[in-house]
Amino acid sequence: MSGSGWVEAFLEMMAVERASARNTLTAYGKDLVDAQAFLGARGRDLAAASVEDIESYFAALSDRGLSPATAARRRAAVRQFYRFVLGEGWRSDDPSRRVEAPKKGRPLPKVLSRAEVDAIIASASARDGTQGLRLGCMVELAYASGLRISELTALPLAVLARDPAYLIVKGKGGKERLAPLNAAARTAVKAYLEVRKGFLPKGDAANPWLFPSRGKGGRLTPRRFAQLLDEAAVDAGIDPARVSPHVLRHAFATHLLEGGADLRVVQKLLGHADIATTQIYTHVAGDRLAEVVATKHPLAKKS
């Protein structure tokens, strides 16, 4: 099968298995056609591309004057495509994967800005019909409460049936903690509950999970949520390599600290046993605050 045939199969998989929105499929199609054209000029195609070919394409995106969002989306489309190809066994390698040298020390968590989180929530909610209500609800809950992905997908319906102001979450080691719900998350939950029955497995009206699924486990899996979140990031013009369910948890913690929250409070909200684990967010928040002062303060502008 040629590279074009692979692209066709990839887009079909996105449409059927992942129920991708039409604009996502259109964007991926255009991006992969662009990559094919670049490789064609080098006498290659997506099927036979080497690591050097793909790295050259990624580098060329930056040199063509494209907006950062467009360039990021095209790189993301190529990476998603090769993950699919690798999974199908059509290639034994992924030429889009870049292996970085290990860094010394503990890496700082990836963080999204508040505007980026808002954009992801908006693109998730904009998906067609019930899919948008479910994904928008999941993203709102993850960001509003700092839930781990395992905690989010394991939420029972009973804990949200009465519109609570907070959740009692069972985290690592079986320890319980309170997780707050803001007004936006509660509104998203109400809207989703109106259509939840559409996701129930056939003949399983008593399904206990908040996010049921027709899969074997009876509930949406962390992997599936991560895939849907990637698609929402692409639709929002954000590189999905910067986005994951855990990054939403990082954003929750960092934005709280930027807003002046006490470190001990954030530790309790995240369910960290050791405050040293939470302290890493102070470095991220500190860097962001320093950047604001350096770019927005009147004296900094004069200098």
Side-chain angles (χ1 to χ4, degrees), residues 6-8 10-15 18-36 46 57 69-84 127 226-241:
W6 288 4
V7 169
E8 208 172 301
F10 169 70
L11 295 175
E12 184 178 347
M13 178 278 297
M14 294 286 289
R18 299 191 185 177
S20 297
R22 185 177 300 173
N23 58 346
T24 300
L25 295 172
T26 301
Y28 274 166
K30 289 180 178 178
D31 294 338
L32 293 172
V33 165
D34 183 77
Q36 279 276 57
L46 286 165
Y57 173 63
T70 299
R73 193 194 68 220
R74 290 188 175 172
R75 293 187 187 99
V78 171
R79 290 193 182 105
Q80 290 269 21
F81 168 76
Y82 278 118
R83 282 182 205 165
F84 167 72
R127 294 173 70 86
Q227 290 171 341
L228 293 171
L229 188 59
D230 276 355
E231 293 176 18
V234 170
D235 290 346
I238 299 169
D239 185 351

